[in-house]
Every structure is written in C-alpha cells, then in structure tokens.
Amino acid sequence: MHSQILIVGGGAGGLELACKLGRKLGPQAVTLVDSRLFHIWKPSLHEVAAGTLDVHQEGLSYQMLAHDNGFTFVYGPMQALDAAQWQLTVGAIYSGDDGQHEEVLPQRRIGYDSLVLAIGSTSNYFGVPGAAEHTISLNATEDAERFRLTLLKLLTRAELQKSTRPEAGVDIVIIGGGATGVELAAELREASGVYAVYGFRQLLAERDVRITLLEGAPRILEPLPEKVSAAALALLQQRAIQVVTDTRVTAIAADAVTAGDVVYPAQLVVWAAGIKAPDILSQLGLPTTKSGQIEVDAHLAVQGHAGIYALGDCAACAGPDGKLVPPRAQAAHQQADYLVETFMRRQRGKPPQLQPYVYRDYGSLVSVGQSTSVGSLMGSLKGLSWFVDGLVARLMYVSLHLMHHRAVLGTLRTAVLALARFLIKRSTPLVKLH
Ligand SMILES: Cc1cc2nc3c(=O)[nH]c(=O)nc-3n(C[C@H](O)[C@H](O)[C@H](O)COP(=O)(O)OP(=O)(O)OC[C@H]3O[C@@H](n4cnc5c(N)ncnc54)[C@H](O)[C@@H]3O)c2cc1C
C-alpha cells in the first residue's frame, strides 16, 4: 500500500489534518493510522473517568470519519520506520489485548511521499517508586474507563461496608495540580454526588468520597495567572476537595501515597503530574529531544529527513523566543492547519509557505465541574490577558470541544449531535452506572 500523505495518530491534531486533507484530496492520497478504533477528544477524558461522559456515545469511529471525510483508515500501532525506503510498518492486531491471542490483522508496510507523526504523549513518572504500578493516568480512553469502573467497584464496596464500618469510603488521591488534575477533582466531586443518589444511599459524597489533590509547585495551575489559580482553588475547596501544594510525592503503594513525612490513604490514585513522548519515537532513527519528542523546525519538518513532519504533543517545535510550543490541543489544532496549507500549496504547484509556524496562545480555560470554568483569555496585545469565570467561561470551554467536532464532523452533524447529547443527558442518569 502507498499513500501520498500518511498521518500517524488520529488525535486532536492528526485527525483534524486527516479530515481537512481528505475532504480536498480523497482516500487515494490521504491515509490515517491509529492504534485505536475510535476517537475521543483527549481534553474530555476527565469526564469519561468521572462517568459524566459515555465513551460509547462520545467515541467517533475512525472508519466512519474516514468514509465521511474521504481518507483511508488503517487500524494498528506504528511499529517501525524505514525512512530510507519511505515506508512505515504498522503492527499486527490480535484478538486479545495481551498480544498472545489470534492474529486478526497482519503487520503491514505502507509507503508514503509525506509522513506526519502525531501520536501524542504518555505519562512521565519521573522515577517515583510505585507510580507506574499503582496509578492510573488519563492518557487514553482505556485508562479513563479503567478509572471509572474501579471507582464504581470501590463505591459498591464502601456502600456494603458502611453498616459495619462507619468510616468506610473511597480515598482518591490525584497527583498533579495542573489542568488535568484540577478538572478531574472537580468532575469527580460532582459525579460523587450523583452516584450517591443512584443506589449508594449510605454514602455522603463530601464525607465518604475523599478527594485529595497534591501539587509540587507553590500553587495549582502554576503556568496560569495567579488569579486563575486562586479562583480554581476556592472552587475546589468549596467542593470539599483537599488541596496540598508545595509537596513532593516520594512513593506510591497499592493503598497509600507518601509525600515526605505524610502518608495519604488511597484506594485510587491518578497520575497527572507530567507527560513525555511515547518511547517508540526514539526508535525511529529521527532526531529527538531529551524528553523523546521529535525535533522539528519552524515548518514542522524533521531536519535531514525529507518528507517527514511531526505535530502536537510528540513534536518539539521552538518558537521565535526559543521556547517550545506547549503540549496543548490548541497547538495541535493550529499545527494541523499549518500543515494543511503546506500540503495544499504543494498540491496546487505553489511555492512552499515561507511563513514559519508560530504558536498563538488564545488563553486557557479550566473546567471546574459541569457548570463553571475559570481561565484567562489572551488579548491581541502581547502579555494582556482577561480573567474569565462562571457560566461564560464554561460555555467557552464547551465551545472548544464543539469546534473540534466541527472540524471533523462538519457544522450540521456537530449541531445535531450536540442537541442529541443534551437531550440524552436529561433522560438518563448524569453519570454512567454500567
Ligand atoms: C484530561 C485532559 C485535559 C486536557 N485539557 C486541555 C485543554 O483544556 N486545553 C488544551 O489545549 N489541551 C488540553 N489537554 C492536552 C491535549 O489533550 C493534548 O495536548 C492534545 O490532545 C495533543 O494532541 P495530539 O494530536 O498531539 O495527540 P492526542 O490527541 O493525544 O492523539 C494521539 C493519537 O495518537 C494515537 N497513537 C498513539 N500511539 C500510537 C501509535 N504507536 N500508533 C498509532 N497511533 C498511535 C492515539 O490513539 C491518539 O489517537 C488536556 C489533556 C488531558 C489528558
């Protein structure tokens, strides 16, 4: 098989690129490879974990997206790259998750004229003992679903134990007070109230679902303005979430998190303290940074390897000030648009674009539950930002998700789906219970 443009990773950036190019160039020219069968916008994984978003309703099948947008979808993990032969190897798919079962799809090799790597990021445990074994991260849908199902089991056990052990409950520790940790803590608190209504009658959400957020920096949401951190902290504390800053986790066991001299009981631990590039990137023979990201120039091209590009979390792209573009959905979206222009100019026989890619920070919004958000919006003047909170911020936050859906589904289907989901939410429990 050969594809003019081969995109690996159908996430926030890669999927938008595949859809936009597919609509213009068609399935003979554009191929998307992903190791999963369906797409979920990664910033909504904290809602999947809390049970407030149902993966089976929210997930978008790559086959459907390929059909509707005019690209070819190849299911399987990127396994190797032969840059000299301009070929990518996609690994086999087995009937079981452990790779021991029957082979369903064989290993495949795909030739390309242009290759775009967009495989996102994975957890960085910074060598903390027990972190890899005893924590769940929100890197993929499976992780978020595993968290949700474990939480349901722990709630059921606590409910059963309550009559004999009044202190029974669920202790959840979230490590990392960035956007992921803050959003998950708030979402869990709201969800725990709903769980308490549906069958867990002995459990009082704020008393029995004990949520602790641990952050190493002096304040949560450290990269954002202090006003945003303070507002988020106040909202978390109002929701009876214990926030501990300036603390370093030193070890994690199956039932506890240790930070220096303090031991926090924990049946469920979430690692949201750092990300790194997936290991496979350092095995491709391409230049990588210390953290394993693919080094790209200001045109998102990999120097010394004609035809290879990278975008999103897995790419290290320095801006004019030398700072790396942050791993954010808005950066992945902008870079996808930049590459659409790169490829379309080539297609139309125009000279390559001279303008480099420059990250434009439009600000950050952090969801604090289903009805409020906090954040700052960047003004057109450098350094100027506006604080936003409450319902307005929440509506803006939701609109980011809708804009991603619009890029891959089109306006009409996005509107119909949004309406359908709004109605479904009003006719079913607010959290997924099965
Ligand atoms: C809970 C949470 C909240 C967030 N909130 C925000 C926010 O509010 N705003 C913001 O800007 N950013 C946010 N982010 C960060 C944002 O989600 C990422 O920066 C963004 O998704 C990166 O996009 P990407 O295209 O690089 O990778 P991803 O969206 O991670 O997509 C990577 C894709 O590659 C596929 N893949 C991985 N490995 C392979 C392989 N070997 N072979 C084939 N396919 C592979 C995956 O299945 C996936 O589809 C949040 C992240 C999380 C976890």
Side-chain angles (χ1 to χ4, degrees):
M1 177 179 174
H2 184 93
S3 184
Q4 200 179 319
I5 302 169
L6 179 58
I7 302 158
V8 189
L15 180 60
E16 290 194 12
L17 180 64
C19 290
K20 287 176 183 174
L21 287 175
R23 291 199 285 263
K24 292 177 199 291
L25 304 176
Q28 307 302 329
V30 184
T31 299
L32 174 72
V33 175
D34 202 285
S35 51
R36 298 183 171 87
L37 280 170
F38 66 94
H39 165 80
I40 287 221
W41 196 53
K42 200 171 179 182
S44 48
L45 285 182
H46 64 284
E47 296 173 65
V48 175
T52 48
L53 195 74
D54 183 343
V55 271
H56 301 108
Q57 280 170 18
E58 183 65 19
L60 299 174
S61 145
Y62 284 119
Q63 291 290 5
M64 175 202 77
L65 291 165
H67 171 268
D68 294 354
N69 290 284
F71 62 85
T72 299
F73 173 60
V74 173
Y75 173 39
M78 170 173 69
Q79 208 171 43
L81 172 67
D82 185 345
Q85 296 292 322
W86 300 64
Q87 288 209 327
L88 183 93
T89 303
V90 176
I93 292 285
Y94 297 88
S95 57
D97 287 341
D98 56 6
Q100 299 299 314
H101 292 67
E102 195 187 333
E103 187 178 281
V104 178
L105 284 171
Q107 191 186 66
R108 289 138 290 165
R109 276 170 82 87
I110 309 174
Y112 59 82
D113 299 333
S114 298
L115 173 70
V116 182
L117 299 171
I119 63 168
S121 52
T122 180
S123 294
N124 189 349
Y125 299 113
F126 302 105
V128 173
E133 298 83 349
H134 301 300
T135 69
I136 299 181
S137 304
L138 296 191
N139 277 317
T141 320
E142 308 87 79
D143 305 326
E145 265 295 273
R146 185 156 67 93
F147 177 95
R148 186 181 72 77
L149 292 171
T150 311
L151 175 62
L152 267 179
K153 287 175 195 160
L154 290 170
L155 287 169
T156 310
R157 187 177 70 178
E159 172 78 11
L160 280 175
Q161 290 174 337
K162 204 73 191 165
S163 47
T164 50
R165 280 183 51 223
E167 77 284 6
V170 182
D171 293 290
I172 303 171
V173 173
I174 300 169
I175 303 167
T180 304
V182 169
E183 291 185 341
L184 178 66
E187 198 74 23
L188 279 174
R189 170 54 70 230
E190 278 188 13
S192 62
V194 185
Y195 282 119
V197 172
Y198 285 98
F200 301 105
R201 294 186 200 291
Q202 312 235 38
L203 300 179
L204 267 182
E206 295 197 354
R207 185 194 62 198
D208 299 321
V209 181
R210 300 173 282 258
I211 305 171
T212 302
L213 181 67
L214 304 179
E215 167 57 44
R219 60 185 174 93
I220 56 169
L221 302 175
E222 218 215 359
L224 302 187
E226 276 191 38
K227 198 172 175 188
V228 178
S229 298
L233 178 64
L235 287 166
L236 293 181
Q237 286 173 338
Q238 275 166 25
R239 288 158 170 74
I241 293 162
Q242 184 189 11
V243 179
V244 185
T245 52
D246 252 329
T247 186
R248 293 259 160 224
V249 170
T250 44
I252 302 168
D255 56 356
V257 172
T258 306
D261 298 337
V262 190
V263 177
Y264 299 91
Q267 288 101 48
L268 204 43
V269 186
V270 178
W271 186 265
I275 54 167
K276 67 179 179 80
D279 291 342
I280 177 110
L281 292 178
S282 54
Q283 298 155 24
L284 301 180
L286 303 176
T288 53
T289 60
K290 265 191 196 156
S291 69
Q293 284 172 302
I294 302 282
E295 282 179 31
V296 293
D297 64 17
H299 298 273
L300 305 180
V302 180
Q303 285 289 302
H305 294 270
I308 303 184
Y309 302 79
L311 64 75
D313 286 7
C314 76
C317 175
D321 55 1
K323 276 194 200 157
L324 289 185
V325 173
R328 316 253 320 259
Q330 59 172 317
H333 159 79
Q334 291 170 19
Q335 292 177 332
D337 279 354
Y338 183 86
L339 285 184
V340 170
E341 178 66 16
T342 299
F343 292 127
M344 289 315 296
R345 288 180 81 92
R346 189 177 302 163
Q347 194 69 21
R348 291 174 182 141
K350 289 188 183 170
Q353 49 182 340
L354 295 174
Q355 289 285 334
Y357 164 72
V358 178
Y359 172 61
R360 176 97 203 268
D361 186 358
Y362 289 98
S364 299
L365 292 166
V366 180
S367 156
V368 193
Q370 291 285 312
S371 56
T372 191
S373 294
V374 290
S376 62
L377 302 180
M378 303 306 286
S380 46
L381 289 177
K382 204 169 163 28
L384 203 66
S385 70
W386 283 280
F387 173 77
V388 282
D389 66 350
L391 188 61
V392 174
R394 176 71 198 168
L395 291 175
M396 285 178 170
Y397 180 89
V398 171
S399 72
L400 297 176
H401 194 167
L402 292 178
M403 275 159 61
H404 173 68
H405 271 187
R406 188 168 161 242
V408 302
L409 289 173
T411 308
L412 185 64
R413 285 181 74 188
T414 300
V416 171
L417 265 182
L419 179 65
R421 281 172 188 156
F422 175 82
L423 294 174
I424 287 169
K425 275 208 164 185
R426 263 128 206 95
S427 57
T428 53
L430 290 172
V431 292
K432 191 176 179 196
L433 295 163
H434 57 283

